[in-house]
């Protein structure tokens, strides 16, 4: 399935396997969960949430320097 | 789909690692506000009639402090003034200053922007272009404290509120402990206890709030915040300790709380044994408090004139 992934200014289409969570996606991209807040379809969500086809996932880096 | 533990709403936004509690947006925002206001009351950080100066960088922490303290201002318990220090970091600071001004304006809070250039004579960029011996954070910290204290007096402020959060505070504790800097440890706390009257009391209303919860709060409330890293931050010892604490918190989610609690317990003993009593005087150059004849800020400034 395909989702839209927004990180900062960067927006792209990404293929994701069924049954993956937002946390899995962050781990795949090597983004530390504890440094970001994630929105799914414009609402903040818990990282354990499942990703569904067509989702817009926005990763907001909120913690810098540790 | 998991439900909010307070109201049953299925649009949940946080799972608190320290307690396992799951909350929806409304319940999370409300519970954080209550927690901070309760800490302020319980720790007696603020008294009725205080004029509180908020050190407002425009980052998430200080913006949250401003918005929460505004509750007390609306209830006419305190008076507020927001002060933004423009250190003079080209390409980085302008955005933060703009966002700080935007927040103060929305709330109708008096806002002052004061610069390193105007108060100490040089911007941080100018200081750094002329220096290779110290890292920027040393200068920045010394001058920011000095300016805040001066401006607090100019404004007649009785308290200075900063945005230090749980992560910052546990970093400071661990850093100073690892470095054997016991004297600095005695000065860490939710409020400064400087008996010397030249210091305005500093308070940290967010000291028990994890950094990520602060970020979640400001985003959930839709507050404008400057989310960017300082170009001078670099690979400091503090940053390394911060990474270590966040890493270990994954498997030990209460570790920052226990570090803080444990420290607060031993602090009275540390203070009794290690705090340097009666050594504070007045700087000959600027009349601000100083450990020797000249304060740190003035000793830096004087070295430029040589
Ligand atoms: Zn709820
Ligand atoms: Zn001085």
């Amino acid at each position: 399935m395909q989702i839209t992934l927004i990180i900062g200014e960067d927006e792209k289409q990404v293929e994701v396997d069924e049954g993956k969570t937002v946390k899995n996606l962050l781990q795949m991209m090597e983004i530390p969960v504890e440094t970001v807040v994630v929105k799914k379809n414009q609402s903040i969500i818990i990282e354990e949430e499942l990703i569904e086809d067509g989702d817009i996932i926005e990763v907001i880096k909120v913690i810098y320097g540790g | 789909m998991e439900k909010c533990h307070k109201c049953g709403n299925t649009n949940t936004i946080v799972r608190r690692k320290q307690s396992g509690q799951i909350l929806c947006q409304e319940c999370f925002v409300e519970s954080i506000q209550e927690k901070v206001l309760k800490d302020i009351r319980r720790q007696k950080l603020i008294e009725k009639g205080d004029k509180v100066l908020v050190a407002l960088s425009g980052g998430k922490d200080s913006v949250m402090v401003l918005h929460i303290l505004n509750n007390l201002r609306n209830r006419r318990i305190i008076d507020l003034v927001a002060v933004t220090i423009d250190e003079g970091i080209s390409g980085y600071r302008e955005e933060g200053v703009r966002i700080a001004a935007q927040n103060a304006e929305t709330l109708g809070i008096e806002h002052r922007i004061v610069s390193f250039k105007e108060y100490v004579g040089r911007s941080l960029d100018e200081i750094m272009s002329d220096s290779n011996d110290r890292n920027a954070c040393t200068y920045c910290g010394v001058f920011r404290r000095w300016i805040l204290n001066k401006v607090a007096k100019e404004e007649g402020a009785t308290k200075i509120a900063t945005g230090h959060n749980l992560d910052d505070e546990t970093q400071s504790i661990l850093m100073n402990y690892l470095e054997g800097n016991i004297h600095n440890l005695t000065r860490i706390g939710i409020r400064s206890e400087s008996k010397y009257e030249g210091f305005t009391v500093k308070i940290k209303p967010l000291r028990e709030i994890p950094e990520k919860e602060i970020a979640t709060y400001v985003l959930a409330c839709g507050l404008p915040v400057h989310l960017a890293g300082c170009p001078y931050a670099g690979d400091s010892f503090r940053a390394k300790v911060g990474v270590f604490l966040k890493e270990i918190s994954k498997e030990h989610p209460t570790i920052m709380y226990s570090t803080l609690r444990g420290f607060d317990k031993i602090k009275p003993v540390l203070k009794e044994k290690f705090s340097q009593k009666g050594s504070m005087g007045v700087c000959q150059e600027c009349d601000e408090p100083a450990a020797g004849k000249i304060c740190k800020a003035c000793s830096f400034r004087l070295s430029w004139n040589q």
Side-chain angles (χ1 to χ4, degrees):
Chain A
M1 60 187 187
Q2 202 177 46
I3 61 155
T4 305
L5 180 65
I6 305 170
I7 305 176
E9 306 280 283
D10 189 42
E11 181 174 334
K12 59 187 173 193
Q13 304 297 312
V14 180
E15 276 299 321
V16 183
D17 297 336
E18 297 277 340
K20 294 280 182 205
T21 65
V22 170
K23 197 173 185 173
N24 297 145
L25 180 71
L26 292 173
Q27 281 162 347
M28 262 154 43
M29 295 184 300
E30 295 180 349
I31 297 174
V33 180
E34 62 280 8
T35 63
V36 297
V37 171
V38 182
K39 286 184 175 179
K40 181 174 132 168
N41 306 326
Q42 296 182 4
S43 303
I44 301 172
I45 43 104
I46 299 172
E47 291 85 6
E48 280 83 6
E49 181 131 334
L50 277 176
I51 299 174
E52 290 158 295
D53 193 32
D55 274 346
I56 301 170
I57 305 286
E58 185 180 2
V59 180
I60 306 164
K61 185 166 166 61
V62 293
I63 293 172
Y64 291 80
Chain B
M1 183 72 75
E2 292 197 82
K3 291 179 182 162
C4 171
H5 289 176
K6 280 196 169 172
C7 75
N9 187 327
T10 52
N11 296 320
T12 53
I13 69 165
V14 287
R15 178 200 301 272
R16 286 189 156 142
K17 300 212 173 49
Q18 62 275 25
S19 62
Q21 188 183 43
I22 292 176
L23 293 175
C24 72
Q25 182 150 318
E26 289 76 39
C27 292
F28 171 71
V29 166
E30 198 186 299
S31 90
I32 291 253
Q33 268 173 6
E34 270 173 16
K35 158 79 179 150
V36 176
L37 291 170
K38 199 175 98 193
D39 286 347
I40 290 172
R41 267 199 314 274
R42 210 184 40 203
Q43 306 266 10
K44 299 188 174 62
L45 299 188
I46 283 173
E47 289 153 78
K48 191 169 166 57
D50 265 336
K51 180 169 183 180
V52 182
L53 182 158
V54 176
L56 182 69
S57 67
K60 62 188 186 318
D61 309 291
S62 63
V63 166
M64 175 163 164
V65 168
L66 188 75
H67 280 260
I68 290 193
L69 291 185
N70 191 50
N71 283 312
L72 300 177
R73 172 177 167 263
N74 284 341
R75 283 151 54 193
R76 298 180 195 282
I77 296 169
I78 58 166
D79 203 6
L80 274 183
V81 56
V83 174
T84 301
I85 298 180
D86 181 354
E87 300 90 354
I89 305 171
S90 171
Y92 164 73
R93 208 63 197 89
E94 301 85 352
E95 177 80 348
V97 171
R98 188 183 64 74
I99 290 170
Q102 193 186 344
N103 277 287
E105 201 191 328
T106 309
L107 300 174
I109 292 169
E110 183 195 339
H111 184 219
R112 275 186 63 187
I113 300 165
V114 297
S115 67
F116 271 27
K117 186 85 181 169
E118 130 197 34
Y119 272 75
V120 304
R122 291 188 184 187
S123 69
L124 189 62
D125 284 342
E126 287 169 340
I127 296 169
M128 291 316 290
S129 70
D130 199 30
S131 155
N132 40 29
D133 56 331
R134 275 170 210 278
N135 67 40
C137 302
T138 308
Y139 291 108
C140 199
V142 166
F143 287 131
R144 261 207 320 245
R145 270 194 297 281
W146 186 77
I147 293 173
L148 274 183
N149 213 42
K150 256 184 135 51
V151 176
K153 276 186 246 174
E154 289 168 16
E155 292 293 329
T158 49
K159 301 274 163 67
I160 297 173
T162 61
H164 292 89
N165 57 47
L166 179 65
D167 298 50
D168 296 330
E169 199 75 346
T170 49
Q171 271 165 37
S172 298
I173 293 167
L174 196 55
M175 260 176 80
N176 283 306
Y177 185 74
L178 293 176
E179 291 179 317
N181 214 331
I182 306 302
H183 175 60
N184 275 6
L185 271 180
T186 65
R187 290 195 293 210
I188 295 173
I190 190 155
R191 56 183 289 158
S192 64
E193 291 164 60
S194 310
K195 292 192 185 70
Y196 179 76
E197 61 179 29
F199 279 119
T200 303
V201 172
K202 290 204 187 108
I203 57 170
K204 300 173 184 168
L206 307 186
R207 187 180 188 244
E208 295 192 12
I209 311 294
E211 187 168 13
K212 188 165 169 179
E213 289 196 4
I214 293 175
T216 307
Y217 178 93
V218 295
L219 289 170
C221 294
L223 304 177
V225 288
H226 187 218
L227 292 171
C230 176
Y232 286 118
D235 199 18
S236 62
F237 184 62
R238 173 176 285 277
K240 288 195 186 87
V241 171
V243 169
F244 166 74
L245 276 166
K246 285 186 173 67
E247 191 58 39
I248 201 160
S249 291
K250 285 183 195 165
E251 280 186 40
H252 303 272
T254 57
I255 206 82
M256 290 193 199
Y257 291 98
S258 56
T259 304
L260 194 74
R261 297 270 178 261
F263 171 75
D264 285 351
K265 276 186 201 153
I266 59 167
K267 192 184 158 187
V269 184
L270 282 176
K271 269 187 69 174
E272 203 178 301
K273 205 134 172 74
F274 297 102
S275 71
Q276 295 164 357
K277 290 191 184 90
S279 58
M280 269 302 184
V282 174
C283 172
Q284 290 176 348
E285 290 286 319
C286 70
D287 286 342
E288 288 292 312
K293 284 181 178 163
I294 289 175
C295 76
K296 207 70 178 257
C298 289
S299 82
F300 285 151
R301 291 194 306 161
L302 290 170
S303 74
W304 302 335
N305 299 330
Q306 281 161 9

